[in-house]
Amino acid sequence: MSRAPRPGSESPAAPATASERDLRIRPVAAALLALEAVLLVAVATFCFVGVSGGQLDGRFGTGLGVFLLLFAAGAAVAARSILVRGRFGLGYGITWQLFQALVGASMLSGGLVWQGALALVVAIAAFLLLLSLVRSTPLPTGEGR
């Protein structure tokens, strides 16, 4: 036979602790996504400069630059979504980190050691932070916490 908890018998520290932890993690996760967006814009700029300087084929460099700008916009929107407790940022961010880890591992195998290591470290850190926010982000139906 289960009894209903008495008023005042619940620990008020547990929800506050989870909320405080959530408040600390969200800005860090959003900052990592924003950092990735800035780095993607930088690489896209490098592609466009490479096309104009003749180091990259015009179609390839331009296509790659536009592709990177689209993903940078997605990462920036995801960072904003994380800050306002939206679900889009979690789904996009977690999926992006898996892709980022794959690219980082490919960079390592291709000889770009520090670039690949940086990509992997950021991807793993952001993945873990975003994963820890999944339960604390409300569902679109208003259920769950």
Side-chain angles (χ1 to χ4, degrees):
M1 175 185 231
S2 68
R3 295 188 326 200
R6 293 183 316 210
S9 67
E10 297 176 22
S11 172
T17 305
S19 177
E20 289 171 7
R21 183 174 161 263
D22 185 45
L23 289 175
R24 286 191 319 261
I25 291 175
R26 279 190 186 281
V28 175
L32 285 175
L33 283 170
L35 171 68
E36 290 176 345
V38 168
L39 291 174
L40 286 168
V41 169
V43 174
T45 302
F46 177 77
C47 289
F48 294 135
V49 169
V51 167
S52 66
Q55 290 102 2
L56 285 175
D57 176 60
R59 289 180 69 184
F60 174 75
T62 303
L64 182 59
V66 170
F67 176 81
L68 292 171
L69 287 177
L70 289 173
F71 277 102
V77 171
R80 172 77 174 119
S81 174
I82 294 294
L83 289 176
V84 297
R85 295 179 50 117
R87 301 281 307 168
F88 169 78
L90 291 174
Y92 183 91
I94 289 171
T95 304
W96 174 251
Q97 300 319 311
L98 295 172
F99 182 69
Q100 174 95 354
L102 177 65
V103 169
S106 297
M107 292 170 81
L108 282 175
S109 68
L112 299 170
V113 177
W114 72 268
Q115 297 94 334
L118 177 65
L120 277 173
V121 167
V122 171
I124 291 169
F127 181 80
L128 293 174
L129 288 172
L130 291 168
L131 214 53
S132 69
L133 292 173
V134 169
R135 287 192 175 253
S136 66
T137 303
L139 295 172
T141 60
E143 298 174 12
R145 169 138 169 81

